[in-house]
Amino acid sequence: MGDFDNKEREEVFSKKVRAGKRTYFFDVKATRSNDYYITVTESKKRLEDGVFVKHKIFLYKEDFEKFAEGLKDTVEYIKAHQEVVEKRYEYSENGVEATKAADDFSFDI
């Protein structure tokens, strides 16, 4: 039964987003009844001991619309009240980050 439970929770889709010192994981998973839900995980390496600290939220399909609306409103508030410059990160083979600044920040849901 253990294998069946693990198979039920396999990721259906995964998107990894590196953003400076943080990495975000957007994972689509399925419940036992095959309903999809999203987990959003933030991972950041602690400087003092090198341990990765992770924070995770679960987002269920009945909440998608309200969540997206709240996130969009929040981003629009910040854009209206402060200049936002999106940083674009590039990763070199030696592991050193190079940062590129973009002139515009756009966010559409």
Side-chain angles (χ1 to χ4, degrees):
M1 188 159 130
D3 288 339
F4 183 72
D5 287 340
N6 287 338
K7 187 173 178 84
E8 289 289 327
R9 303 289 190 243
E10 280 185 21
E11 291 175 1
V12 176
F13 173 84
S14 185
K15 175 72 176 175
K16 179 179 180 180
V17 177
R18 290 187 179 159
K21 296 178 181 180
R22 293 180 182 85
T23 302
Y24 299 97
F25 299 91
F26 298 90
D27 300 312
V28 176
K29 298 184 180 186
T31 65
R32 289 183 181 158
S33 60
N34 207 33
D35 282 332
Y36 289 171
Y37 64 97
I38 299 171
T39 62
V40 180
T41 307
E42 174 206 35
S43 179
K44 184 177 179 184
K45 193 175 194 179
R46 268 194 316 227
L47 295 176
E48 56 271 11
D49 57 8
V51 172
F52 285 94
V53 178
K54 295 181 180 182
H55 299 96
K56 184 177 285 199
I57 65 166
F58 292 78
L59 183 59
Y60 299 95
K61 65 183 180 183
E62 60 268 20
D63 302 328
F64 288 172
E65 190 103 4
K66 292 287 186 184
F67 183 89
E69 181 182 317
L71 182 58
K72 183 178 179 186
D73 290 347
T74 304
V75 170
E76 286 176 357
Y77 175 86
I78 292 171
K79 287 168 57 175
H81 292 86
Q82 286 188 341
E83 181 181 356
V84 178
V85 177
E86 181 181 9
K87 291 183 180 179
R88 299 195 187 257
Y89 300 93
E90 292 181 353
Y91 293 89
S92 64
E93 290 184 17
N94 64 5
V96 177
E97 293 179 12
T99 304
K100 283 183 166 179
D103 295 331
D104 187 20
F105 177 85
S106 60
F107 183 78
D108 295 319
I109 293 184

